[in-house]
Amino acid sequence: MSLPTAYCRLPTGFAMHRPERIADTLREEITQIVGYELEDPRLAMVTVTDVRVADDLRDASVFVTVAGDEHEHELAFIALRRAAPYVRKQLGFSLNLRHTPALHFVRDTVEEKAARVDALLGKIETPTEGTKDAE
């Protein structure tokens, strides 16, 4: 006796890659919407760097960077939170998903941390010949 098709599972590799594929598609679509459809000047220097989708595809964390100082970061995130329902609605129109994920905009600090590490490495002095231990 075989099980009904509802109980059959997809191959493991296929199921694991679906959230990643959807995240890539979401990143491309959100980049287009934020970059070209939204006319808010506070979003002029916003770059979508990554999107991570929950396994159940109900929530998506959208990582963004903003060129500018802290005040411009705050203004951009206020604008992104206000625009999130519109962006989600546009995603629903363009993507064929059962449920459009709720969008959570998150500050991407990878570049900031990398710049800090570079600055710290730049401060490290290379040993000179006079301070080398004689062997």
Side-chain angles (χ1 to χ4, degrees):
M1 176 177 187
S2 65
L3 293 173
T5 57
Y7 292 104
C8 295
R9 294 201 177 262
L10 295 172
T12 306
F14 181 79
M16 298 274 298
H17 294 293
R18 185 163 189 252
E20 294 168 6
R21 286 194 319 261
I22 290 174
D24 285 341
T25 304
L26 286 173
R27 183 185 52 77
E28 292 172 6
E29 291 293 327
I30 293 169
T31 299
Q32 291 294 319
I33 295 168
V34 170
Y36 299 107
E37 292 183 30
L38 298 177
E39 296 179 2
D40 193 326
R42 298 174 292 182
L43 300 177
M45 300 304 289
V46 171
T47 304
V48 178
T49 57
D50 193 19
V51 175
R52 295 186 188 152
V53 180
D55 289 335
D56 63 358
L57 305 178
R58 299 275 181 156
D59 292 292
S61 296
V62 181
F63 292 87
V64 297
T65 59
V66 180
D69 60 5
E70 279 301 313
H71 181 67
E72 290 173 349
H73 277 85
E74 292 173 16
L75 292 176
F77 276 96
I78 290 169
L80 285 170
R81 280 194 292 274
R82 282 190 59 129
Y86 172 79
V87 174
R88 185 177 183 194
K89 181 179 167 186
Q90 294 303 107
L91 288 172
F93 289 144
S94 63
L95 303 176
N96 189 18
L97 296 174
R98 182 177 297 219
H99 301 284
T100 305
L103 303 176
H104 308 284
F105 290 97
V106 180
R107 183 174 180 171
D108 190 355
T109 58
V110 172
E111 290 181 15
E112 295 169 12
K113 289 179 182 177
R116 183 172 181 265
V117 168
D118 285 343
L120 290 173
L121 289 174
K123 289 181 181 179
I124 296 175
E125 294 179 358
T126 57
T128 59
E129 289 182 28
T131 60
K132 287 185 181 177
D133 293 330
E135 292 182 18

